Amino acid sequence: PAPAPALQAGWQGSQRDLRRHTEAKVCRFAASGCKWTGLDEEAHVWSEHCCVFRDEGCRWLGPAQEMAEHMAATHACPYARMGCQVVAPEARIREHARVCSYAPHLDSLMSLLITLQEDLRVQVKERETLKEELHAKLAANAHQIA
């Protein structure tokens, strides 16, 4: 008779462990919604639940539905909200951010924002001063009328 499939694949364990070895497993992220079942959970986790930059050193591991959040937080250019679409390993993102073509635009916007904030502070202070002067004049007029 031909050997069992696990034996053909090079099974090295004991006969009593063979059944446990060949039983289908569920993904360790099943509680997070992963429906995978199969024999090689490690290969499944590596392909579906590890960061795509795992070969470049990223050790993130988690539910597949959290991958986009991880990518945005860790591997997207800090100027992504401005339109930059560069996604890379962390070290390369830091290098890229220093030369990103969107950086000057953001710097210009930050300068404008700081100027506008300062202008607003000045206007609020002027408004408060005018308000105090108006209250003082009204009080003086009310005193003269009485």
Side-chain angles (χ1 to χ4, degrees), residues 4-146:
L7 295 177
Q8 290 174 342
W11 172 250
Q12 300 294 316
S14 67
Q15 186 65 29
R16 68 186 167 145
D17 291 334
L18 179 60
R19 181 166 183 214
R20 188 175 66 225
H21 174 73
T22 57
E23 286 177 348
K25 296 166 182 69
V26 296
C27 178
R28 70 182 81 168
F29 296 103
S32 298
C34 184
K35 305 278 187 231
W36 178 88
T37 59
L39 296 178
D40 194 349
E41 184 195 12
E42 290 304 313
H44 162 72
V45 167
W46 183 253
S47 68
E48 301 296 322
H49 297 287
C50 288
C51 178
V52 296
F53 294 114
R54 59 188 169 265
D55 293 336
E56 284 88 0
C58 184
R59 295 292 156 229
W60 184 87
L61 176 71
Q65 64 268 25
E66 294 176 15
M67 179 70 74
E69 183 180 325
H70 163 72
M71 294 298 288
T74 309
H75 300 294
C77 175
Y79 302 107
R81 292 180 122 180
M82 298 288 295
C84 183
Q85 297 186 8
V86 172
V87 176
E90 262 184 289
R92 281 194 277 168
I93 280 296
R94 286 191 296 273
E95 293 168 14
H96 161 78
R98 287 192 283 272
V99 297
C100 180
S101 62
Y102 286 88
H105 302 294
L106 186 59
D107 291 342
S108 296
L109 287 173
M110 287 301 294
S111 293
L112 177 61
L113 179 61
I114 290 167
T115 301
L116 290 172
Q117 285 176 328
E118 190 56 39
D119 289 349
L120 183 60
R121 268 192 284 273
V122 168
Q123 288 177 5
V124 166
K125 190 172 183 176
E126 287 174 356
R127 181 176 163 247
E128 289 301 315
T129 302
L130 289 172
K131 188 175 170 184
E132 289 170 7
E133 290 173 0
L134 180 61
H135 282 294
K137 286 180 181 180
L138 286 173
N141 284 343
H143 193 50
Q144 284 178 352
I145 293 175

